[in-house]
Amino acid sequence: MEFEDIYRRYWNKIFRLCMGYVNDYSLAQDMAQETFIKVWQYLPTFRNEANIDTWIFRIATNNCLRQLERKKQILSTQFPADLFEDEKTDIEPQIQLLYKFIAELSEIDRIIISLELEDVRQADIAQIIGLSESNVRVRIHRIKAQLTRKFKEYGEQY
């Protein structure tokens, strides 16, 4: 498979995975772009031992985890309290809310649910993150219940 085909086929999926992880539109774009730079660099060495989907999602997942480490280092600096976040007008409000709730999950749960939302097979998710398939199934069930609860609580507040 050529890089251009891979890029067209996987860009939106990888972007949504990153968006679910960081809940920041421009940062998610940067992270997706970094992922595809790595895919382009390492595509000649890809040996087809794993499914290409699994390989690309693994690169994206590692990229997300590295971003979290960078973010932890940056957060140790104090930012002015009067900064505000621009409204994300590109994304529907319900989707923004979903990304917000996903961003509140633990690291591993963010990755799992983001991959699940991209219709990655649970066996592949297990391989990407290094858990058993049954553990992934249980976690997905619990994450969905947790997100549903958050949506209900949000609805009761407004």
Side-chain angles (χ1 to χ4, degrees), residues 39-52:
V39 168
W40 180 74
Q41 287 174 331
Y42 295 108
L43 189 59
T45 63
F46 178 66
R47 297 184 306 253
N48 289 318
E49 292 175 359
N51 188 331
I52 194 154

Side-chain angles (χ1 to χ4, degrees), residues 47-72:
R47 297 184 306 253
N48 289 318
E49 292 175 359
N51 188 331
I52 194 154
D53 298 24
T54 304
W55 182 68
I56 293 169
F57 280 116
R58 184 68 188 164
I59 292 171
T61 300
N62 287 339
N63 205 19
C64 289
L65 293 173
R66 273 193 301 282
Q67 179 60 35
L68 179 69
E69 288 303 314
R70 282 185 234 140
K71 192 175 182 180
K72 283 180 184 176

Side-chain angles (χ1 to χ4, degrees), residues 10-150:
Y10 293 99
W11 170 260
N12 288 329
K13 292 179 179 190
I14 297 302
F15 170 74
R16 288 189 302 261
L17 172 73
C18 295
M19 184 65 184
Y21 198 78
V22 296
N23 193 28
D24 179 311
Y25 191 85
S26 58
L27 183 56
Q29 284 185 314
D30 290 345
M31 290 171 59
Q33 189 172 12
E34 287 176 25
T35 297
F36 282 100
I37 289 170
K38 287 185 184 353
V39 168
W40 180 74
Q41 287 174 331
Y42 295 108
L43 189 59
T45 63
F46 178 66
R47 297 184 306 253
N48 289 318
E49 292 175 359
N51 188 331
I52 194 154
D53 298 24
T54 304
W55 182 68
I56 293 169
F57 280 116
R58 184 68 188 164
I59 292 171
T61 300
N62 287 339
N63 205 19
C64 289
L65 293 173
R66 273 193 301 282
Q67 179 60 35
L68 179 69
E69 288 303 314
R70 282 185 234 140
K71 192 175 182 180
K72 283 180 184 176
Q73 292 170 356
I74 292 171
L75 287 178
S76 63
T77 307
Q78 290 292 331
F79 288 104
D82 59 348
L83 289 178
F84 62 93
E85 184 176 343
D86 292 337
E87 286 293 317
K88 296 176 186 80
T89 56
D90 299 19
I91 304 172
E92 295 178 32
Q94 290 177 334
I95 301 297
Q96 284 181 15
L97 191 58
L98 176 61
Y99 285 136
K100 177 185 179 301
F101 292 154
I102 289 173
E104 294 171 358
L105 297 171
S106 69
E107 293 174 38
I108 195 77
D109 288 350
R110 279 184 278 188
I111 295 293
I112 291 171
I113 198 63
S114 296
L115 291 169
E116 173 72 9
L117 290 171
E118 289 304 322
D119 294 325
V120 175
R121 292 182 2 205
Q122 291 179 358
D124 292 338
I125 294 172
Q127 185 178 0
I128 289 167
I129 59 176
L131 295 175
S132 70
E133 194 173 341
S134 59
N135 192 329
V136 168
R137 271 194 304 277
V138 169
R139 282 178 167 248
I140 288 171
H141 177 73
R142 289 180 182 162
I143 295 166
K144 286 180 178 180
Q146 188 176 357
L147 291 173
T148 300
R149 191 170 45 255
K150 286 181 181 260

